[in-house]
Amino acid sequence: MNNKYLTSFYALVMTVALSGLLVPAVVDADTAGATFTREAQAAITPARALEMLEDGNERFVTGDSVKRDFLAQVRQTSKGQFPFAAVVSCLDSRIPPAIVFDQGIGDLFVARVAGNFVNDDILGSLEFATRLSGARLIVVMGHTECGAIKGACDGAQLGLLTATLANINPAVEAVQAVQGDYTPRTSKNAGFVQAVTEMNVQLTMQVLYDRSVVLREMIDKGEIGLVGAMYDVSSGKVTFTGKFVSGR
């Protein structure tokens, strides 16, 4: 998890990202409020999936979300689902991914855990979401003012939560004083907390790429994309970082 490795990893990320600048247009089920069909899902590239999430968050922030008939979508998805993306996000109640990306029922797979990290259970779920169910993009999304990150920064101890927060410790340890004013290294230092939050997203992407052979092969072949994201709880805005997206 050293800085040299992260630099090499993101150099590869941006190289692949640049290859996906030109993508074909497709009919957007999200803008029409309809659910996706297998054919519509198959027509979406990883780069287009990212653009759809960016557009959806812009609609959310500006108060222009699509009007959807959710009961109709329940009926439409009762026999099958064809989501175009999968999101790994925190348990925090302020961050419902489908809402902040202005998506409907059947549009997104969502895996949520305090601290938005991945383990084998979540990686297996993402393999299902992509290889078996056709999602074209994975988003690892952290957020500002994260209680799990603050707990890890403070070394909080509480039942099974202690083991959960241990998954965030690599990010705490990776943020060094030379990178900024990180004294004290506790939740009382907002700059330190945010630096750990951002590092946690980076390391989670790296773990996903390293540990899952299935996902790594799909990323390398351009079958799916992988991006990091940061949600601002004060504005509702999502900023995407560390883009690893192919146009194929």
Side-chain angles (χ1 to χ4, degrees), residues 108-126:
L108 301 178
F109 285 109
V110 179
R112 303 188 69 172
V113 63
N116 47 269
F117 60 87
V118 292
N119 56 17
D120 286 356
D121 297 315
I122 293 178
L123 290 174
S125 297
L126 293 172

Side-chain angles (χ1 to χ4, degrees), residues 3-233:
N3 289 334
K4 180 179 180 181
Y5 188 95
L6 283 173
T7 299
S8 299
F9 178 75
Y10 279 99
L12 175 62
V13 164
M14 297 312 297
T15 298
V16 178
L18 289 174
S19 71
L21 292 178
L22 298 177
V23 297
V26 298
V27 176
D28 287 354
D30 62 328
T31 58
T35 58
F36 284 93
T37 63
R38 188 184 305 277
E39 293 74 22
Q41 181 199 54
I44 296 171
T45 66
R48 180 62 185 141
L50 174 58
E51 186 179 70
M52 290 165 66
L53 293 181
E54 291 174 328
D55 291 346
N57 181 245
E58 180 65 21
R59 292 194 301 271
F60 171 71
V61 171
T62 58
D64 193 29
S65 295
V66 173
K67 291 181 173 59
R68 293 179 170 84
D69 184 339
F70 289 111
L71 288 180
Q73 291 190 331
V74 168
R75 293 190 292 271
Q76 292 165 9
T77 57
S78 62
K79 302 300 182 182
Q81 59 173 337
F82 306 100
F84 69 91
V87 181
V88 178
S89 70
C90 186
L91 185 70
D92 196 295
S93 65
R94 298 168 291 180
I95 313 160
I99 293 177
V100 304
F101 287 123
D102 189 27
Q103 302 301 319
I105 293 173
D107 292 345
L108 301 178
F109 285 109
V110 179
R112 303 188 69 172
V113 63
N116 47 269
F117 60 87
V118 292
N119 56 17
D120 286 356
D121 297 315
I122 293 178
L123 290 174
S125 297
L126 293 172
E127 291 174 357
F128 168 81
T130 54
R131 176 59 65 82
L132 298 183
S133 298
R136 305 306 305 277
L137 180 71
I138 297 174
V139 180
V140 177
M141 185 167 69
H143 67 94
T144 60
E145 300 295 333
C146 180
I149 297 292
K150 292 179 180 179
C153 290
D154 292 340
Q157 303 284 312
L158 176 64
L160 296 176
L161 179 61
T162 303
T164 300
L165 297 183
N167 290 279
I168 306 172
N169 286 342
V172 177
E173 296 167 359
V175 174
Q176 303 299 319
V178 294
Q179 298 169 317
D181 182 13
Y182 298 139
T183 303
R185 292 171 60 86
T186 69
S187 64
K188 296 184 182 300
N189 186 334
F192 178 60
V193 171
Q194 186 58 28
V196 173
T197 302
E198 294 170 1
M199 180 64 72
N200 187 53
V201 170
Q202 294 177 19
L203 296 185
T204 297
M205 291 174 66
Q206 185 175 315
V207 170
L208 182 155
Y209 184 82
D210 289 345
R211 187 160 181 80
S212 171
V213 174
V214 172
L215 297 177
R216 181 169 65 251
E217 289 180 348
M218 294 183 74
I219 291 168
D220 289 345
K221 291 178 181 178
E223 296 172 350
I224 63 172
L226 171 65
V227 299
M230 189 63 57
Y231 178 82
D232 188 333
V233 298

